Amino acid sequence: MGNHEETARTIHRSGNSCSASVYNAFKDVNTSGDGKVPAPRSEGGKCGAVLAAEKLIREMGLGDPDAFDEVFQAQYGSLKCGELMARNGRQCNEYVGFAAAKVDEMRV
């Protein structure tokens, strides 16, 4: 198993969106996906890292994305990009890394 957290953080630091960073970090193991990166904030203003993690969880058959949402919300206080920025400052790389790490944990 690769280090998807570090891969996602690296992709993000190179200028990609949060959703693209998380989703594309799993290209090596997500063979059932359609390859389409979720549009940031496309579902009710949700963080792109959250949307990508939810999509990966569904595509890879890892369980219920709501379980991921609960863990993310407990950690950061919200699932919404605007609220995360207002509440915690711009910590996008942290959200990207956390999302990728949690998807990896669900794969075990």
Side-chain angles (χ1 to χ4, degrees):
M1 180 172 8
N3 186 347
H4 296 103
E5 176 182 359
E6 188 52 43
T7 300
R9 287 178 184 267
T10 300
I11 293 170
H12 186 257
R13 282 192 294 269
S14 70
N16 286 276
S17 71
C18 296
S19 58
S21 300
V22 173
Y23 192 77
N24 290 331
F26 286 85
K27 279 185 175 179
D28 63 327
V29 293
N30 185 21
T31 58
S32 62
D34 61 14
K36 295 180 183 175
V37 174
R41 290 170 268 175
S42 61
E43 295 179 32
K46 277 188 184 176
C47 166
V50 170
L51 291 171
E54 290 172 345
K55 183 171 182 173
L56 286 164
I57 291 164
R58 283 190 298 275
E59 288 180 352
M60 296 192 297
L62 301 177
D64 185 356
D66 289 343
F68 167 83
D69 288 355
E70 289 174 16
V71 171
F72 190 95
Q73 185 150 353
Q75 178 74 22
Y76 297 111
S78 181
L79 299 174
K80 295 189 175 189
C81 180
E83 290 176 6
L84 289 165
M85 299 272 226
R87 196 176 283 163
N88 304 317
R90 189 169 182 88
Q91 299 179 41
C92 297
N93 200 263
E94 169 68 20
Y95 308 140
V96 164
F98 184 86
K102 291 303 170 193
V103 171
D104 258 344
E105 285 177 18
M106 295 176 84
R107 293 179 56 230
V108 177

